[in-house]
Amino acid sequence: MAVIPVNLAGRSYKVRVGGGLLADLPAQCGKLLRKDCVPVVTDTNVAKHWRETIETALLAGGHEPHWLVLDPGESAKSWRGLERVVDWLLGEEVERGDHVVALGGGVIGDLVGFAAAILKRGCGFIQLPTTLLAQVDSSVGGKTAINTGAGKNLVGAFHQPALVLADLDTLTTLPARELRAGYAEVIKYGVLGDAEFFTWCERNGPQVLAGDRALQEYAVTESVRTKARVVAEDEREITGARALLNLGHTFGHALEAETGFSDRLLHGEAVALGIVLAARYSARREYISEQDAERGADAIADAGPPNEIAALGMDADGRKLAAHMLHDKKMDAGTLPFVLLAAIGQAFLDRNVALDDVASFLDGELQAR
Ligand SMILES: NC(=O)c1ccc[n+]([C@@H]2O[C@H](COP(=O)([O-])OP(=O)(O)OC[C@H]3O[C@@H](n4cnc5c(N)ncnc54)[C@H](O)[C@@H]3O)[C@@H](O)[C@H]2O)c1
């Protein structure tokens, strides 16, 4: 098992990565579970595979699990979903010093984390991420949010978990498409800041996705290490270091918005395409070579997520896609900073990107290569 500290003044915590962590939940959580009753929020897909493991572990540890099981999917991250979780936690008489358990992917983690942030002005929570995306990204760093009619993740809070247990066993029940989508976030860490890790991803992607446990542990651990370092440096995305983790997200968000935030394009798949587009747009601006941009695209293709937007069959042109970017929450005084590449492994924030140019670039990309 690997243990990665997230060092934040007064709010430090550990991320543990390994197998068998859920089956050992009481010992892993120790004093964080200070009462008999343990509130656990999850979704029906995750409950189907992992409820029994947690139930058995908690009962054996002398605890009584109380469950709130939600419908799966992005729609749970809504005002209604938030109200449901908060009301349930209030009914459970959760106190500020208690810890709510979030068992699931990024949807459950973001929703429960936000509920914990506002419940009685903030109670504790523990992240048990069960998707690759949640293990390498969303469970670490304390960004919590829900979606509203105006857009995704527009209402939320920074609220750090007290502990993250990334149990690699949970990846065995994750649908292959979700695993591939999550792997795009792993590749992202290489592309944005670690050329050596990117080369590792190029070599080992297929085996990671085929379920090689040692390689999965390395992929998750290295990703979490990078995220923890960046979060410790720039927790609230003020200096710009954390903003680099948004590589691929501005393009990706536009594609998610155009496809209606639906199963047509999963979040990780949108990020995968977004990384490809950010790399190719960096080549268009002559920051990197075409060859390097295509290395990024090939690594994504080898791991399986889509890497050509033409294949999405969207009824949109570049201007329409660029218009979605105006609603990006990273808009800053009328400009939208883009994370672009100076090299593979070297991302930077470009605040001088003209959306007209992005639109014409996207028009080119929408024609099949
Ligand atoms: N807070 C952050 O920093 C951050 C970062 C990235 C993404 N996100 C958010 O994360 C969300 C996407 O997360 P996600 O990709 O994990 O999606 P998700 O939570 O919807 O999970 C994907 C699907 O897999 C199922 N599932 C989860 N674990 C499973 C398992 N072990 N076995 C079988 N099925 C399982 C879920 O029920 C769901 O159907 C988005 O809302 C995105 O905005 C947040």
Side-chain angles (χ1 to χ4, degrees), residues 163-181:
L163 175 69
V164 181
L165 300 175
D167 189 335
L168 299 171
D169 293 347
T170 60
L171 301 183
T172 59
T173 62
L174 191 64
R177 184 181 173 197
E178 298 287 351
L179 193 66
R180 287 196 298 268

Side-chain angles (χ1 to χ4, degrees), residues 43 45 74 77 106-107 110 130-131 138 143 152-153 170 173:
D43 71 32
N45 291 337
E74 193 67 33
K77 267 176 65 173
V107 164
D110 279 12
T130 62
T131 63
S138 62
K143 280 190 182 175
K152 232 189 123 178
N153 295 331
T170 60
T173 62

Side-chain angles (χ1 to χ4, degrees), residues 83-94 119-120:
E83 185 178 20
R84 176 136 185 244
V85 175
V86 168
D87 280 345
W88 183 75
L89 293 174
L90 289 172
E92 289 290 313
E93 298 182 359
V94 170
L119 191 93
K120 299 184 178 170

Side-chain angles (χ1 to χ4, degrees), residues 180-181 183 209 269 298-307:
R180 287 196 298 268
Y183 193 64
L209 295 167
E269 293 173 341
D298 288 347
I300 301 275
D302 288 348
N307 78 340

Side-chain angles (χ1 to χ4, degrees), residues 5-327:
V6 183
N7 296 315
L8 295 163
R11 296 177 311 288
S12 296
Y13 56 96
K14 290 190 168 55
V15 182
R16 297 199 192 116
V17 180
L21 298 175
L22 298 188
D24 189 33
L25 195 59
Q28 293 294 331
C29 294
K31 291 194 173 117
L32 294 178
L33 304 181
R34 60 181 193 157
K35 291 181 183 161
D36 289 350
C37 166
V38 178
V40 187
V41 184
T42 190
D43 71 32
T44 52
N45 291 337
V46 180
K48 188 166 104 197
H49 298 289
W50 296 101
R51 180 174 175 150
E52 203 179 315
T53 304
I54 293 209
E55 187 101 7
T56 307
L58 285 175
L59 288 172
H63 295 284
E64 190 188 320
H66 283 202
W67 292 88
L68 176 63
V69 182
L70 304 172
D71 287 338
E74 193 67 33
S75 60
K77 267 176 65 173
S78 60
W79 286 115
R80 224 166 35 153
L82 180 69
E83 185 178 20
R84 176 136 185 244
V85 175
V86 168
D87 280 345
W88 183 75
L89 293 174
L90 289 172
E92 289 290 313
E93 298 182 359
V94 170
E95 298 170 352
R96 277 183 177 178
D98 295 340
H99 289 86
V100 179
V101 176
L103 170 72
V107 164
I108 291 292
D110 279 12
L111 173 66
V112 177
F114 187 37
I118 58 176
L119 191 93
K120 299 184 178 170
R121 299 205 175 91
C123 72
F125 81 115
I126 296 167
Q127 289 268 24
L128 305 182
T130 62
T131 63
L132 183 56
L133 182 140
Q135 295 188 350
V136 301
D137 191 6
S138 62
S139 65
V140 181
K143 280 190 182 175
T144 72
I146 58 165
N147 311 320
T148 75
K152 232 189 123 178
N153 295 331
L154 291 181
V155 175
F158 285 98
H159 187 53
Q160 300 292 343
L163 175 69
V164 181
L165 300 175
D167 189 335
L168 299 171
D169 293 347
T170 60
L171 301 183
T172 59
T173 62
L174 191 64
R177 184 181 173 197
E178 298 287 351
L179 193 66
R180 287 196 298 268
Y183 193 64
E185 299 275 6
V186 175
I187 295 176
K188 182 189 79 176
Y189 291 111
V191 178
L192 74 86
D194 187 341
E196 215 175 292
F197 184 57
F198 176 73
T199 304
W200 184 93
C201 290
E202 284 183 307
R203 280 208 200 103
N204 296 293
Q207 296 95 299
V208 171
L209 295 167
D212 183 308
R213 177 54 74 88
L215 295 179
Q216 281 185 345
E217 180 160 342
Y218 184 80
V220 175
T221 305
E222 284 307 299
S223 301
V224 171
R225 243 189 255 292
T226 301
K227 178 122 192 208
R229 183 173 38 74
V230 173
V231 167
E233 191 182 325
D234 182 22
E235 182 185 7
R236 293 189 168 233
E237 218 164 294
I238 291 166
T239 67
R242 188 165 182 175
L244 297 183
L245 297 180
N246 294 325
L247 173 68
H249 284 62
T250 300
F251 285 108
H253 259 15
L255 300 174
E256 279 185 284
E258 184 57 32
T259 49
F261 297 102
S262 65
D263 284 356
R264 228 176 116 195
L265 188 67
L266 303 178
H267 176 74
E269 293 173 341
V271 170
L273 281 162
I275 294 170
V276 172
L277 293 173
R280 286 182 181 157
Y281 188 68
S282 300
R284 176 184 171 98
R285 300 284 298 272
E286 299 184 349
Y287 296 136
I288 62 171
S289 65
E290 295 269 351
Q291 202 185 5
D292 271 352
E294 291 317 307
R295 251 185 95 192
D298 288 347
I300 301 275
D302 288 348
N307 78 340
E308 296 294 346
I309 55 172
L312 293 179
M314 291 178 298
D315 182 22
D317 60 8
R319 191 164 291 279
K320 190 171 178 213
L321 289 178
H324 289 302
M325 296 177 183
L326 293 171
H327 304 292

